[in-house]
Amino acid sequence: MNDEIAKRLERIESHLAHLERHHEQLNQVVVEQGRLLRKLSIQNQRMADTIEATEIDRIRASNPKPPHH
């Protein structure tokens, strides 16, 4: 019975080590995706600001001020 328990414990430890490796790999992926998400969010905001400024300039150019201004 002792040998069977030792084998089971060895299998459990092996599975745990495997799960720990997977956990670390997944954690690295999550961290990298967080960095990428922040970078893409900043780029998205810059593009939105550029588009907004371009649209405002276009509207101003197509609607000149009246002569009395």
Side-chain angles (χ1 to χ4, degrees):
M1 191 71 165
N2 223 0
D3 193 38
E4 182 180 327
I5 292 173
K7 287 179 183 180
R8 288 184 67 197
L9 182 58
E10 186 178 329
R11 278 198 315 268
I12 290 170
E13 289 173 342
S14 175
H15 285 289
L16 178 60
H18 181 72
L19 289 173
E20 286 174 338
R21 273 195 313 274
H22 276 291
H23 177 266
E24 182 58 34
Q25 290 170 341
L26 288 172
N27 188 51
Q28 289 173 359
V29 168
V30 169
V31 168
E32 182 57 35
Q33 286 181 344
R35 288 183 190 132
L36 180 58
L37 184 58
R38 282 189 296 278
K39 180 180 174 182
L40 292 173
S41 184
I42 290 168
Q43 288 177 347
N44 188 43
Q45 186 60 52
R46 286 180 184 158
M47 287 191 320
D49 293 345
T50 300
I51 290 169
E52 182 180 359
T54 302
E55 186 64 15
I56 290 171
D57 290 345
R58 185 193 64 77
I59 291 169
R60 286 181 182 154
S62 64
N63 294 320
K65 290 184 181 181
H68 63 277
H69 279 105

